[in-house]
Amino acid sequence: MAITRRSLIGRGALLVTSGFLAPSFITRTALALEGSQPGFTDGGGVVIDPTKKNRILVVLQLSGGNDGINTLVPFADPGYATVRPTLGLPANEVLKLTDQVGLHPNLTHFKALYDQGKLAVIQGVGYPNPNRSHFRSMDIWHSAYPETFERSGWLGRYVSACQCAQDNALPAISVGDQLNTMFWTDTTLVPAVASIGAFSFLTDTQYKNDRTWQLQTLHNIYTQAGNWSQYESLIRRGTLNALAGSDELQKVAAAYQTPVSYPANNGLANQFKLVAQVIAGNLGTRLFSVSMGGFDTHANEKVTHDRLMTQLDEAVDAFLQDLANINKQDDVVIMSFSEFGRRVRQNGSAGTDHGTAEPMFIIGNKVTGGIYGSYPSLGDLDNNGDLKFTADFRSVYAGVLQDQVGATAAPILGGNFDPLKVIA
Amino acid sequence: MALDTPRSQVAHLLRRAGFGASEAELDQYTALGFAAVVERLLNPEQVDDSVSDGLIAPLALDVTAADARRKIENVKFWWLNRMLYTQRPLQEKMVLFWHNHFATANSKVANAVLMQQQMQLFRDMGLGSFETLLQKVTRDPAMLIWLDNRQNRKGAPNENYAREVMELFTLGIGNYTEQDIKEAARAFTGHTLDRNLTYVFNANQHDNNDKTFQGQTGNFDADDILAILVRHPAAARFLTTKLFSFFVYENPDPATIDRLANTFTSTNFDIRSVLRDIFSGPEFLSPRAFHGQIKSPVDLVVGSLKSLNVQNVGPDATAALRRMGQDLLNPPDVSGWKGGAAWINASTLFERFNWGNRLATGRDASKPYFADVPAQIQSRGITTADGLVDFYLGTLVDGDATAEARQALLDYLNGSGGSLALDDGAALDMKARGLVHLALATPAYQLA
């Protein structure tokens, strides 16, 4: 194990409390505790590429299983109309990328990004022996371990390996009130942030001077050493982690008010707005997850999917405008995924059941736009009536890790996957 | 310390089988004795709940409000108050359990009346036969909308309900094939809703051909499939593991589940019998069980209201629950809330602590969340700072605090080098309320 500042700090030394509580003291304590957890490894051979230190990755999760066939439409395939008699999108409405495939009609900003060479579309992404359970398949995409049950998430393993939590309370942020499992590890905590305004320990407004005492007391309680249970340890680390990030985020909130008008009633747009706010604050946060749900369209799919495509398109567009406004457009890449695509043939309720392979989108100024891989055949399906995948999602992760995150992928993904090169 | 007195055992039981208890409730329940409390909880129909009904009645559960959002918020708020006031806490806890098990969300159902109806089904049937409950849930209008079975027709079936009934409601993943899903979906065809959103069986849309399901072949209807599922050995283990994990601790020993699964099967899937086995079993009062779970947001919110005798809950309490990660009647997906470690992250911890601050600083009797801390101190005859710390650590965390944590709280009360004057009204108002806030923010308070 490499000698790091962390490994030199014994737990006990931190327990001497100072008389005056400065926020930075909480921060340092929390960061040091991160490294002192049992089970921490130094990353097992992950090499960090310093030239990527300004690069930022935003992972966009589409929850519920997005209908990839009606997102990236194989309009020229005569089989398409057969399997989608009422759900099929007319060829003249599809936003054509090639003479074979086109985007859902509501993805107009995605089409413009494609025309500008800033949108990469990876076709037919999946993994061997596809699982059609939402929960198991989402776990597989989060852990990047399809064959075994692995608790940790792929980006969590990166945050652990890079030791970036050592000097920064916010190396990554999971946007929303639940921590995205892709960030989970047993040793390093990534904060979930639902709202910057609420990300603060409030105290009695009638006695403002008592706040220092309350924070001091909280600190004394939470930094005490002990043989804590797994849950109590989680609560202790989570609290110190939260306190450490809180002051920084409060400053960020005051520093930048976006002039971009994000679309209303669009949860994804609100999440992107938070991400841009944090990026504008230059806190060194390099990884974010955002998500939108509602893609589990078993019945009456058209009206729902049309609306979701519009929300997705408008949210991404607003975010990119915001990035341009703060001059970060060259640093940020967005990568989208869903736990699976949907059944090729529509069901009897004008919807689609759970399927397999799906397209992924990678967006950014440094992205080499275009269509990657091959579209799975609608005529050569597996014995469940689903697409046979043509690209392994771990190759996509490997490329993003190498070219945007700046880390050797194999130790993080638990194997060598040919990195798909889409980012310059 | 841990569960070594009758009072601490009953408090533990009420945290798990209910939503916590005020000091006064704890006095009453402890006087009955642990075994009698278990029976009282298991037999809610024998407990008069008219006082609680009377308290909730003025909330005027208005599901006719024109604003759809208001309607569902009204249902949530009514339910939260029911959890707070009912004398049948296990019945209500089982509503929450089944709501999490058959997790149905208003985000799609979009009908507050049907959501309320589904909760009432759980209230009425939640302690009875699991097979009967499963049959009722399969015909429940909110469920028929939520998992699309109302549109499951012969010829081109919709697999949504067939998959989740096996993966999440009965067997767990790995105990069925994709072909089982397709066959079961055919058996569920025709179970639908009429125009008034009332359950109806449409024989014209039901597939009457043979299905081969879990190795058996026949012209199976929905109830035949459910009968096969509840008798599958995996179902007994899946259900009892979930119940045990909800009420005691996660990852139970296989021997524990052997016993509970046997109870489940030998009593014809009687939930009440399984619960009796859980609460009277050796695991329930073991050291591993004490503070061995993370409080769900509902447990934290309702329990804190009880502990501090907060009388008027604000209608925004349900929004606080949502920010803590548990939006009632809107679980994140059909698998329900993940629970356990997933309740804890930076955002939800702040929400928990800030909820505590809100209650602790509730000084105004004319506004929601009035917590009469001075009255509580007075009624307990507390005259020293030590007494104050010990009372709140006792009532809020069962004394589960290290000597160092206790000293930190004492130092907080006394300030630098001084000592808290309990007869100084302003000092007491600041420090006693601050103490309550800090006790609610301790690690132990996050545990059930």
Side-chain angles (χ1 to χ4, degrees):
Chain A
M1 176 169 175
I3 295 176
T4 66
R5 193 191 68 174
R6 235 186 317 209
S7 60
L8 296 172
I9 300 176
R11 271 199 221 179
L14 293 161
L15 303 174
V16 183
T17 55
S18 66
F20 177 73
L21 181 76
S24 63
F25 188 72
I26 296 180
T27 306
R28 281 186 279 114
T29 307
L31 298 175
L33 282 178
E34 278 297 298
S36 67
Q37 291 308 307
F40 181 84
T41 69
D42 67 352
V46 175
V47 179
I48 306 300
D49 175 357
T51 67
K52 305 289 187 186
K53 66 179 170 45
N54 294 324
R55 295 292 189 91
I56 293 166
L57 174 65
V58 182
V59 180
L60 164 55
Q61 175 173 311
L62 309 177
S63 302
N66 178 35
D67 185 4
I69 291 172
N70 271 13
T71 302
L72 183 70
V73 185
F75 66 88
D77 187 328
Y80 176 61
T82 311
V83 294
R84 298 293 177 92
T86 63
L87 279 182
L89 296 160
N92 62 354
E93 291 180 15
V94 170
L95 307 174
K96 296 183 179 63
L97 305 184
T98 66
D99 59 0
Q100 293 297 312
V101 297
L103 294 170
H104 185 283
N106 294 356
L107 293 176
T108 54
H109 294 102
F110 278 56
K111 173 65 164 61
L113 289 165
Y114 181 83
D115 291 342
Q116 296 159 29
K118 297 175 182 173
L119 170 68
V121 183
I122 329 293
Q123 306 186 103
V125 188
Y127 54 89
N129 301 315
N131 198 297
R132 294 167 185 81
S133 156
H134 290 293
F135 314 103
R136 178 63 191 136
S137 196
M138 192 60 97
D139 284 347
I140 286 169
W141 279 82
H142 284 160
S143 66
Y145 276 80
E147 289 92 12
T148 55
F149 288 86
E150 170 57 50
R151 279 162 50 88
S152 66
W154 70 289
L155 286 178
R157 293 195 294 273
Y158 164 74
V159 174
S160 241
C162 71
Q163 308 194 352
C164 9
Q166 189 177 345
D167 304 313
N168 185 345
L170 299 164
I173 291 178
S174 173
V175 181
D177 63 17
Q178 296 300 301
L179 176 63
N180 192 305
T181 317
M182 72 177 82
F183 285 126
W184 177 262
T185 65
D186 287 336
T187 52
T188 304
L189 280 181
V190 165
V193 180
S195 138
I196 294 177
F199 201 79
S200 176
F201 185 79
L202 303 178
T203 53
D204 196 340
T205 50
Q206 188 156 322
Y207 299 103
K208 292 199 170 68
N209 292 338
D210 197 50
R211 178 176 173 78
T212 309
W213 288 106
Q214 288 207 21
L215 281 170
Q216 174 75 65
T217 308
L218 192 73
H219 174 259
N220 289 350
I221 291 171
Y222 271 88
T223 52
Q224 195 199 326
N227 185 22
W228 311 119
S229 72
Q230 185 194 338
Y231 278 156
E232 181 153 358
S233 169
L234 174 70
I235 292 160
R236 287 174 174 273
R237 288 189 298 128
T239 298
L240 292 170
N241 178 258
L243 291 169
S246 172
D247 289 322
E248 293 189 55
L249 279 182
Q250 298 313 311
K251 280 180 225 151
V252 161
Y256 175 66
Q257 290 305 316
T258 181
V260 174
S261 69
Y262 279 80
N265 301 318
N266 184 324
L268 178 64
N270 289 337
Q271 294 183 26
F272 272 133
K273 188 175 178 179
L274 190 157
V275 173
Q277 180 110 44
V278 175
I279 291 174
N282 291 311
L283 296 179
T285 309
R286 293 189 53 221
L287 302 170
F288 297 87
S289 68
V290 295
S291 64
M292 72 184 290
F295 287 91
D296 194 21
T297 49
H298 284 275
N300 309 324
E301 173 175 317
K302 182 168 170 50
V303 60
T304 304
H305 198 248
D306 285 356
R307 174 175 52 79
L308 292 170
M309 290 292 107
T310 300
Q311 288 177 347
L312 171 65
D313 189 70
E314 292 181 347
V316 167
D317 176 57
F319 179 55
L320 295 178
Q321 286 181 43
D322 213 354
L323 291 180
N325 189 59
I326 55 176
N327 199 27
K328 295 285 188 184
Q329 66 274 25
D330 292 340
D331 294 342
V332 179
V333 159
I334 304 169
M335 180 188 82
S336 78
F337 80 101
S338 189
E339 70 265 39
F340 43 60
R342 304 195 74 82
R343 187 70 41 82
V344 173
R345 186 176 291 275
Q346 70 180 72
N347 63 24
S349 32
T352 50
D353 293 318
H354 300 183
T356 52
E358 51 163 319
M360 291 176 75
F361 294 123
I362 300 183
I363 300 168
N365 280 9
K366 291 276 168 66
V367 168
T368 308
I371 311 266
Y372 292 78
S374 59
Y375 207 102
S377 165
L378 299 187
D380 177 25
L381 305 176
D382 71 9
N383 57 15
N384 203 51
D386 291 316
L387 298 174
K388 293 178 178 172
F389 80 106
T390 55
D392 193 304
F393 74 95
R394 291 165 293 180
S395 283
V396 184
Y397 283 7
V400 167
L401 280 168
Q402 178 182 290
D403 299 324
Q404 182 69 11
V405 178
T408 35
I412 293 169
L413 300 178
N416 283 301
F417 298 93
D418 198 15
L420 189 73
K421 182 92 188 154
V422 296
I423 301 165
Chain B
M1 172 188 69
L3 306 181
D4 53 2
T5 64
R7 192 181 181 84
S8 67
Q9 293 175 355
V10 170
H12 171 74
L13 176 62
L14 291 170
R15 277 198 302 280
R16 302 301 180 85
F19 304 91
S22 67
E23 285 290 315
E25 284 175 320
L26 204 47
D27 291 341
Q28 293 162 10
Y29 278 106
T30 306
L32 295 176
F34 185 88
V37 178
V38 168
E39 284 309 313
R40 182 185 159 98
L41 292 170
L42 287 171
N43 295 284
E45 61 284 350
Q46 295 172 17
V47 177
D48 175 17
D49 211 17
S50 56
V51 172
S52 126
D53 290 343
L55 284 166
I56 302 166
L59 295 175
L61 176 59
D62 183 8
V63 291
T64 62
D67 175 2
R69 196 183 131 66
R70 194 63 259 151
K71 272 197 280 196
I72 193 67
E73 292 305 318
N74 285 348
V75 175
K76 292 181 198 174
F77 187 59
W78 180 90
W79 188 16
L80 190 69
N81 277 275
R82 186 162 183 88
M83 295 176 194
L84 183 58
Y85 292 119
T86 183
Q87 299 302 301
R88 302 169 172 178
L90 179 59
Q91 182 184 46
E92 220 50 43
K93 196 77 182 245
M94 286 306 289
V95 178
L96 185 62
F97 175 84
W98 292 123
H99 175 43
N100 190 48
H101 184 76
F102 295 111
T104 302
N106 191 62
S107 57
K108 176 169 170 180
V109 175
N111 189 316
V113 175
L114 296 186
M115 292 304 297
Q116 171 76 349
Q117 202 173 303
Q118 192 185 70
M119 295 313 113
Q120 191 58 43
L121 170 66
F122 298 150
R123 206 166 283 126
D124 294 339
M125 316 279 299
L127 286 163
S129 152
F130 179 70
E131 183 169 20
T132 309
L133 180 62
L134 197 56
Q135 291 167 353
K136 297 275 186 188
V137 166
T138 300
R139 294 160 171 81
D140 175 71
M143 180 60 79
L144 284 162
I145 296 171
W146 170 237
L147 292 183
D148 300 307
N149 206 66
R150 68 167 164 166
Q151 298 184 70
N152 184 13
R153 304 178 183 97
K154 75 174 171 187
N158 186 308
E159 296 177 3
N160 204 4
Y161 189 71
R163 177 184 303 277
E164 307 305 2
V165 80
M166 285 186 267
E167 179 177 342
L168 299 171
F169 301 165
T170 58
L171 303 184
I173 195 165
N175 294 298
Y176 51 88
T177 64
E178 289 293 318
Q179 193 59 30
D180 283 332
I181 292 170
K182 292 181 192 299
E183 298 288 298
R186 292 173 51 213
F188 290 122
T189 50
H191 290 272
T192 187
L193 296 174
D194 67 14
R195 286 181 189 181
N196 301 317
L197 301 180
T198 304
Y199 166 77
V200 64
F201 178 67
N202 183 344
N204 290 330
Q205 286 299 345
H206 180 70
D207 184 336
N208 272 311
N209 295 313
D210 277 0
K211 298 108 191 163
T212 297
F213 177 73
Q214 293 273 345
Q216 303 181 46
T217 301
N219 175 17
F220 296 138
D221 185 14
D223 288 348
D224 300 320
I225 297 292
L226 299 179
I228 292 171
L229 290 176
V230 296
R231 284 163 183 80
H232 192 297
R237 303 193 73 82
F238 182 76
L239 257 299
T240 56
T241 301
K242 199 156 175 186
L243 282 163
F244 186 90
S245 304
F246 183 81
F247 285 107
V248 194
Y249 47 72
E250 294 174 57
N251 305 313
D253 299 331
T256 299
I257 297 307
D258 289 345
R259 187 187 84 228
L260 297 175
N262 183 53
T263 300
F264 179 79
T265 307
S266 66
T267 61
N268 241 338
F269 328 115
D270 183 46
I271 297 300
R272 197 186 318 249
S273 300
V274 175
L275 293 180
R276 181 178 287 113
D277 200 342
I278 288 175
F279 299 136
S280 351
E283 303 88 355
F284 190 72
L285 294 174
S286 68
R288 183 176 168 192
F290 177 66
H291 286 182
Q293 288 184 326
I294 297 196
K295 278 193 181 109
S296 71
V298 165
D299 286 332
L300 183 119
V301 163
V302 180
S304 60
L305 292 166
K306 280 176 174 284
S307 289
L308 297 174
N309 294 321
V310 175
Q311 292 302 322
N312 48 346
V313 184
D316 55 349
T318 53
L321 282 175
R322 174 174 52 72
R323 294 193 303 270
M324 291 178 208
Q326 195 172 24
D327 188 11
L328 287 174
L329 306 182
N330 264 322
D333 55 51
V334 62
S335 68
W337 292 280
K338 277 188 187 168
W343 290 130
I344 296 299
N345 64 56
S347 271
T348 56
L349 282 165
F350 277 137
E351 292 295 342
R352 285 168 174 248
F353 299 160
N354 293 343
W355 167 262
N357 183 54
R358 183 161 192 185
L359 296 192
T361 58
R363 294 184 170 87
D364 188 339
S366 69
K367 290 184 178 157
Y369 307 110
F370 172 56
D372 199 345
V373 172
Q376 201 168 27
I377 294 169
Q378 204 171 20
S379 74
R380 292 281 152 175
I382 296 165
T383 55
T384 64
D386 283 274
L388 202 52
V389 170
D390 289 336
F391 170 67
Y392 280 110
L393 286 180
T395 195
L396 294 174
V397 296
D398 313 271
D400 185 8
T402 59
E404 290 86 346
R406 187 182 173 281
Q407 188 61 46
L409 292 170
L410 203 54
D411 291 346
Y412 165 75
L413 284 184
N414 288 327
S416 53
S419 65
L420 177 67
L422 273 83
D423 54 357
D424 178 341
L428 188 67
D429 182 57
M430 173 171 75
K431 288 295 186 180
R433 287 181 181 277
L435 171 70
V436 170
H437 177 208
L438 289 166
L440 291 171
T442 53
Y445 193 73
Q446 313 315 310
L447 301 171

